[in-house]
Amino acid sequence: MTHSEPNAGDSHAARLWPLLAVNFFMADMQSGIGPFISVFLIERGWTSGLIGTALSIGNIAGMLITTPVGGFIDASHHKRAWVIVPGVAVVLASSVILMWQSFWAVAGSQIATSIASAAIVPAVTGITLGMVGQKGFNRQNGRNQAFNHTGNLVGAAASGLLGWKFGYFWVFALAALFGVITVACVLMIRPDQINDHAARGNKEDDSKSQPGALTMLLRHKPLLVLGLALALFHLGNAAIIPLFGMSAVSNGKANGPGFVATTVVIAQGVMVIASLVAMHVAEKRNYWLILLVSFLMLPLRGILAFFLDGWSGVVPVEILDGIGTGLQSVAVPGMVARSLYGTGRVNLGQGAVITVQGIGAAVSPALGGWVTHWIGYPPTFLVLGGLGLLAAGVWITLGAAVKEY
């Protein structure tokens, strides 16, 4: 079936509101009870090292599957299904942890969640490109991320309240409800509104553009530099939020669901603003400066987490988290789409970058958990924060390969 080419100018609200709604509701569906897992398990007697290991096993599984999933999405003419099926899988996997807390049950659930979640981000990226084209992608992606962070904020606040008042089951029930609404919103996007040619990153005016091979990605310097810097960043970043919550709960300074919900709400609220700022900055400049600022947020977070704990530290630590992650939520997919424009391999590129940064994110919980076990929470935050300086160093040193984007 031949589709008309997308045009950013005709991307009116009536056509795009289901896409924005998907981004809003998929946030809580995609995470399930993820943000609450660490405190849920530590309240049931798990050690920080064991929790980190279980989470890392799941992250590694997601890391391994993300690149091929991106390739499948490039080739697929049913991109909506790549949001629906994984979303349902996340909700089902979350229910396993509520019923069984054995190590392999938790690890298996995290594997299923990570594999399913690996498909959702490149799928939504592809759908967005297919609906608005390359010219409209930066602005629409900024709006998508603002709605996604707002959905995370609302979902976390409601989950924290429900978990505090009624227990963890209701955290899962809310994620399931958001999942049902997400599926309904995805189905409101008609297949003929998604231009599969543009969705994979082909040039809108070149219908014969052929997708590049996987070897092209391995030789694509901007993606390699971006992936390396993100891997170092997430090696430090991924463990800070769960460790900060575990520190507060284990020291008796906070209620588990309420504290975790507060960290997420603050961070996501700032992410909404940061993502919109990144969108506007990218229209006038490139993504290099935006990403540099995001990397520098991590060492600042590590220092603040070292000196402040519990409720006294949650606001400044999570504000910085919101700035860094909010900037990256727009800059990373935007830079990938911009640098791979015309190759027909944008979603494969998205998957490849997520895979490389996932190496850092996969190891981070285990690294943070065992370092904490050996030297305690405060010094661990400095160790993890220092990795942000390494990421910034790579970004500056190899900046010639990425500054044009």
Side-chain angles (χ1 to χ4, degrees):
M1 181 177 181
T2 300
H3 302 284
S4 60
E5 295 297 343
N7 187 314
D10 65 9
S11 298
H12 49 79
R15 189 165 65 91
L16 294 175
W17 78 260
L19 177 61
L20 295 175
V22 167
N23 278 275
F24 180 92
F25 289 105
M26 81 175 194
D28 196 61
M29 173 200 72
Q30 184 180 359
S31 61
I33 64 170
F36 299 87
I37 288 175
S38 294
V39 295
F40 175 73
L41 295 175
I42 207 165
E43 288 177 357
R44 281 152 181 78
W46 284 50
T47 64
S48 61
L50 203 59
I51 293 171
T53 301
L55 297 182
S56 287
I57 289 174
N59 289 340
I60 290 170
M63 174 194 71
L64 294 176
I65 200 67
T66 303
T67 298
V69 162
F72 293 144
I73 292 171
D74 274 327
S76 174
H77 295 283
H78 305 282
K79 289 180 172 57
R80 300 182 306 167
W82 288 94
V83 177
I84 295 171
V85 175
V88 173
V90 169
V91 174
L92 294 177
S94 294
S95 67
V96 171
I97 298 177
L98 296 175
M99 294 184 287
W100 298 288
Q101 287 93 54
S102 69
F103 177 82
W104 288 111
V106 173
S109 172
Q110 290 303 289
I111 290 172
T113 298
S114 296
I115 290 175
S117 296
I120 294 177
V121 173
V124 173
T125 297
I127 290 172
T128 302
L129 267 173
M131 294 183 74
V132 304
Q134 180 69 30
K135 292 181 180 178
F137 180 75
N138 175 67
R139 181 167 289 271
Q140 185 59 40
N141 182 51
R143 292 168 177 161
N144 286 355
Q145 296 306 323
F147 271 75
N148 185 264
H149 297 316
T150 303
N152 258 319
L153 187 156
V154 172
S159 296
L161 179 61
L162 291 172
W164 175 49
K165 289 285 188 180
F166 306 110
Y168 286 97
F169 169 79
W170 293 99
V171 176
F172 160 74
L174 181 67
L177 174 63
F178 273 43
V180 171
I181 298 174
T182 300
V183 170
C185 292
V186 170
L187 293 175
M188 290 180 184
I189 301 174
R190 301 194 314 271
D192 63 357
Q193 292 178 318
I194 304 171
N195 185 318
D196 288 317
H197 183 67
R200 62 191 301 166
N202 282 338
K203 293 183 178 180
E204 288 92 337
D205 58 354
D206 181 10
S207 60
K208 297 181 180 180
S209 179
Q210 298 297 320
L214 181 59
T215 53
M216 179 201 69
L217 296 180
L218 298 177
R219 297 172 182 173
H220 198 277
K221 290 183 179 180
L223 289 190
L224 295 176
V225 174
L226 177 63
L228 176 58
L230 288 172
L232 290 170
F233 176 85
H234 286 281
L235 179 61
N237 186 71
I240 286 188
I241 288 181
L243 285 175
F244 198 68
M246 290 160 59
S247 173
V249 172
S250 63
N251 293 330
K253 294 184 178 181
N255 164 270
F259 188 83
V260 172
T262 301
T263 64
V264 176
V265 166
I266 294 172
Q268 295 295 332
V270 176
M271 286 178 201
V272 173
I273 300 171
S275 61
L276 293 174
V277 170
M279 176 188 76
H280 288 293
V281 171
E283 290 179 342
K284 300 177 181 179
R285 302 174 64 93
N286 55 29
Y287 290 111
W288 183 83
L289 180 61
I290 298 172
L291 285 164
L292 177 61
V293 172
S294 77
F295 295 145
L296 293 176
M297 293 300 104
L298 180 55
L300 295 178
R301 287 178 68 209
I303 293 171
L304 287 177
F306 175 82
F307 288 107
L308 304 172
D309 63 353
W311 289 107
S312 64
V314 68
V315 173
V317 169
E318 292 312 302
I319 285 176
L320 294 177
D321 181 30
I323 294 173
T325 306
L327 295 177
Q328 287 187 15
S329 69
V330 171
V332 173
M335 180 178 168
V336 172
R338 187 176 289 178
S339 66
L340 288 178
Y341 179 51
T343 66
R345 284 293 187 176
V346 167
N347 297 300
L348 179 64
Q350 298 283 0
V353 169
I354 293 171
T355 296
V356 176
Q357 75 177 35
I359 295 174
V363 176
S364 184
L367 173 66
W370 288 112
V371 172
T372 298
H373 186 73
W374 295 323
I375 65 176
Y377 287 104
T380 299
F381 293 132
L382 292 180
V383 173
L384 297 175
L387 292 167
L389 291 176
L390 289 179
V394 167
W395 197 242
I396 293 171
T397 303
L398 302 177
V402 290
K403 281 188 176 181
E404 68 177 287
Y405 303 109

